Amino acid sequence: MNEIDEMFRQLTNPLAAEGLGEDVSQEEDAPFRRSGEVVRIQLEARVLEILVSLVSEYKMLLEGHARELDRLFPAAYEGEESEIQNAAWALLTGDVLRAERVARCSVVLNGLGDGSFPLEAADDWMRVFNDVRLIATADVKDEADLQDLYEGATQQSAVFLLSSAVLQALLSVA
Amino acid sequence: MVLPEIDTFQKADELWAVVLWNDPVNTMEYVSRVLCKSFGYTKAKAEEIMLAAHENGRATAWAGEQAEAESHCRALHGWGLQATLQKEGK
């Protein structure tokens, strides 16, 4: 976990110093540094490798219709007749939502490869890493379960911490 | 429960609410950001709805015609939020 702790620190250190109204994305050591309409990625090679691996794996799960992703495709209707309504809902929205997510993964992987991405793609980045967080927290039922992830030493905890740190860094950019 | 502004020409029995559910994983900042982007709400309005969901377990994010409500619900699902549709009024 030491390596993960170090990555987490690299991603969140600029945020720790953030004061009210400060624009952390302009800081020299910001992991995602905004320069006009471009966001430059300033992460160590090892961190980049892991992020590429995480997003690639997520993309593969999407393309394989993995059950681990069920949380990302919730039902919309409740109550009487909801079974029929939700079957129709899944049919109408499932493939579209999946395709959109796959496309966003590609955007992020391209950006990780280029070392930068356009500011307008920041939403795509946030959504991808939030999705990764959601997958890592599939078993979480309440705040106590979440706290266990923050404090844990499992691979699941590591994925959750890293994706959370990236998301938080991105929220400061967009 | 927070009720956003609705078109006054809608009949009460045709209203469908987009219900935002609290969950322990999505951060408050992220949820507020999504509400701003999805519905065009001000930051203050988005935070009001987000906090209502956080404190009460759920909040009405939007209400209107079913087709548009479905579109909003699908969008929220695309952002990873937990949302459902509920018919309002009789």
Side-chain angles (χ1 to χ4, degrees), chain B residues 22-69:
Chain B
N22 183 48
D23 74 81
V25 181
N26 282 301
T27 65
M28 288 182 170
E29 189 179 353
Y30 182 81
V31 173
S32 294
R33 182 80 62 105
V34 171
L35 292 174
C36 286
K37 287 191 177 281
S38 292
F39 298 103
Y41 291 150
T42 61
K43 192 176 173 190
K45 182 85 168 188
E47 283 180 357
E48 189 184 340
I49 296 170
M50 175 275 294
L51 284 171
H54 181 70
E55 289 164 12
N56 304 319
R58 52 172 284 171
T60 296
W62 186 90
E65 279 188 356
Q66 185 175 10
E68 197 170 350

Side-chain angles (χ1 to χ4, degrees), chain A residues 64-130:
Chain A
H65 294 242
R67 292 304 306 268
E68 291 94 323
L69 305 190
D70 282 354
R71 187 200 177 125
L72 301 183
F73 302 93
Y77 288 93
E78 299 175 295
E80 295 176 15
E81 299 177 3
S82 63
E83 201 175 321
I84 297 170
Q85 289 172 314
N86 283 322
W89 177 262
L91 212 59
L92 287 168
T93 66
D95 285 346
V96 173
L97 285 175
R98 191 178 308 278
E100 287 173 351
R101 284 184 152 111
V102 168
R104 278 182 224 124
C105 286
S106 297
V107 167
V108 170
L109 288 170
N110 287 341
L112 286 168
D114 291 342
S116 68
F117 56 90
L119 186 60
E120 65 188 13
D123 279 351
D124 289 341
W125 278 69
M126 279 193 281
R127 292 166 82 150
V128 166
F129 284 99
N130 193 60

Side-chain angles (χ1 to χ4, degrees), chain A residues 113-168:
Chain A
D114 291 342
S116 68
F117 56 90
L119 186 60
E120 65 188 13
D123 279 351
D124 289 341
W125 278 69
M126 279 193 281
R127 292 166 82 150
V128 166
F129 284 99
N130 193 60
D131 282 351
V132 172
R133 285 181 87 241
L134 291 174
I135 297 165
T137 55
D139 303 328
V140 167
K141 301 282 184 296
D142 52 33
E143 304 278 351
D145 289 344
L146 199 66
Q147 196 56 36
D148 288 344
L149 270 185
Y150 273 113
E151 296 167 358
T154 62
Q155 185 178 30
Q156 187 185 10
S157 289
V159 170
F160 171 69
L161 285 175
L162 262 180
S163 54
S164 298
V166 173
L167 175 63
Q168 194 54 40

